[in-house]
Amino acid sequence: LGFGWCIAYLVFEMIGAVLAAVLFKVVRPEDFGGEKGGPAAEATSEFLGTFMLVLTVGLNVLGKSTGGAFSIAASLMCMIYALGNVSGAHFNPAVTVAILASGRCQGLSPAKAGMYVGAQLVGGIAAAFTYSAIYHGDSFKLGPGAGRGYVEVAMAEFVFTFVLCYVVLCVAVSTTTNNATMFGLAIGSCVTVGGNAIGAISGGSLNPAVSFGIAA
């Protein structure tokens, strides 16, 4: 029986490996003689990064993980390093809006920002269906913690989404304070900070795509 499962695992893992190679080719056509970037690569990047982030959120919540904030932050950090030079690795409509509003990213037009947000929301919804399917249709609601209301949730989400977006602008956008090697760790750490600090208050979403996916 154990060996039978081994064969099944092997097949599933090989399928995952092949899909990784296919998506690698989609988001990095320049490695295969094509032109770098383009809407298809950027939209796929934002979808994929957001999908993995929201999927990790859902699996940690449904699995009642005690280290959810660290797992979610690590997921975000990995995808930032993997896709940062493809689309900028926003994976969060709030981050996209912050970068657009800063006016410091000439390549991010309002139209491209809209495309990013659309890809992020679709990624969040797809992730929600995926984690629900893994848990046989089980899911969870978006809402405040016990004894909390709109005021507490508003303060918590406002402050820590600000922290996340501010750090992104400083370490990934600014030409004076950006960090070409540690930016992913710094941004991921914001999720660890927020998740642990306000998880019991609002759930520590910090991301409209996460909130949208959970609500879907």
Side-chain angles (χ1 to χ4, degrees):
L1 181 62
F3 187 77
W5 275 113
C6 174
I7 298 299
Y9 275 44
L10 185 149
V11 171
F12 303 148
E13 290 155 1
M14 291 301 104
I15 292 172
V18 172
L19 180 59
V22 170
L23 290 177
F24 177 76
K25 187 173 184 178
V26 171
V27 300
R28 298 189 182 279
E30 68 275 14
D31 287 349
F32 300 89
E35 294 184 3
K36 177 178 172 60
E42 292 169 342
T44 302
S45 171
E46 289 298 311
F47 171 88
L48 180 59
T50 309
F51 175 87
M52 291 307 304
L53 174 62
V54 178
L55 179 63
T56 305
V57 170
L59 293 177
N60 272 281
V61 173
L62 290 173
K64 297 179 173 56
S65 170
T66 57
F70 296 98
S71 173
I72 296 162
S75 172
L76 176 60
M77 180 181 69
C78 290
M79 299 312 291
I80 287 173
Y81 282 121
L83 298 167
N85 67 344
V86 176
S87 66
H90 298 187
F91 312 147
N92 183 335
V95 168
T96 299
V97 169
I99 294 174
L100 179 66
S102 75
R104 298 296 296 165
C105 184
Q106 296 181 354
L108 185 66
S109 65
K112 180 181 283 190
M115 178 187 74
Y116 276 25
V117 171
Q120 292 156 3
L121 294 179
V122 172
I125 294 173
F129 279 104
T130 302
Y131 67 65
S132 181
I134 291 172
Y135 275 86
H136 305 289
D138 196 10
S139 188
F140 55 95
K141 293 182 179 180
L142 176 71
R148 311 295 182 180
Y150 283 104
V151 174
E152 295 89 344
V153 169
M155 293 175 64
E157 291 292 324
F158 167 79
V159 169
F160 284 94
T161 303
F162 160 80
V163 170
L164 173 60
C165 292
Y166 188 76
V167 169
V168 169
L169 293 174
C170 289
V171 303
V173 177
S174 172
T175 57
T176 56
T177 60
N178 68 333
N179 190 303
T181 56
M182 301 297 288
F183 65 99
L185 177 60
I187 296 167
S189 295
C190 294
V191 174
T192 305
V193 171
N196 282 301
I198 64 171
I201 299 171
S202 66
S205 173
L206 318 181
N207 185 335
V210 172
S211 301
F212 199 79
I214 293 171

